[in-house]
Amino acid sequence: MSSKKSATAKKPRPAGTAPQGKKALQGSQGKKAQAAATPADTAPEGPRPARITAAAVLAAVEGVVLLGFGVYVLIMGLTGDPESPQQAEMLGVTVLALAALPLLAARGLWLRRRWSRGPAMITQLMALPVAWTLVSNGGGLIAAGAAIGIVALTVLALLINPTATEALGIGPRDA
């Protein structure tokens, strides 16, 4: 038996040096994964383009209008004399819930979050059939349907623009 230390014994490592081996590699990969996940949560640098600002404002206006309509329908369902109070109340609650989508999308666009483009575009795509139905019914609803359609098409055009996608940190797909 020898009192000498074996060659595989761990030696103290000077401060500031990286560990060696498989565990060190896994640790550095974990740090890279954390670093890669962080930039998606932060807004891109530089000023907000006017296209993103306009899309955010229009989406917020849609959300506020839906919120107002939902509150109106809910109040009329509770205090008014609808044919079916339960249906009126449920419509009011549904419209209030639907108002959350454009409001969240508008906030995300304003803060230039990458995730906000999808909900904003989905909201506009859902607004187009509503606009068509209002225009098709005629009467006083034509103006409302035309306004909804114009706003929806405008926001879609603003969001598919390359300037907007770059401002949101959405780049071309790698081949």
Side-chain angles (χ1 to χ4, degrees), residues 137-154:
N137 285 335
L141 300 177
I142 291 175
I148 291 171
I150 289 169
V151 169
L153 290 173
T154 302

Side-chain angles (χ1 to χ4, degrees), residues 8-161:
T8 59
K10 292 186 180 181
K11 296 179 183 176
R13 189 175 58 237
T17 60
Q20 302 296 320
K22 194 174 189 180
K23 288 184 180 180
L25 181 61
Q26 290 172 347
S28 66
Q29 288 174 348
K31 289 178 185 177
K32 287 180 184 177
Q34 284 178 337
T38 306
D41 298 338
T42 60
E45 300 284 329
R48 183 184 319 107
R51 295 176 196 276
I52 296 293
T53 303
V57 168
L58 288 173
V61 167
E62 286 176 330
V64 169
V65 168
L66 276 172
L67 191 67
F69 180 67
V71 168
Y72 171 77
V73 170
L74 191 60
I75 289 172
M76 292 310 293
L78 293 172
T79 62
D81 190 23
E83 288 181 25
S84 173
Q86 291 172 335
Q87 285 182 347
E89 292 163 12
M90 185 54 79
L91 176 64
V93 170
T94 302
V95 172
L96 287 174
L98 287 174
L101 185 62
L103 289 172
L104 286 173
R107 186 177 191 299
L109 287 172
W110 187 263
L111 297 174
R112 292 173 50 190
R113 301 291 190 244
R114 174 185 288 204
W115 60 262
S116 63
R117 183 174 178 249
M121 292 183 76
I122 289 169
T123 301
Q124 306 317 311
L125 292 174
M126 289 181 349
L128 289 174
V130 172
W132 178 257
T133 302
L134 292 174
V135 169
S136 298
N137 285 335
L141 300 177
I142 291 175
I148 291 171
I150 289 169
V151 169
L153 290 173
T154 302
V155 173
L156 283 171
L158 290 169
L159 291 177
I160 62 171
N161 188 286

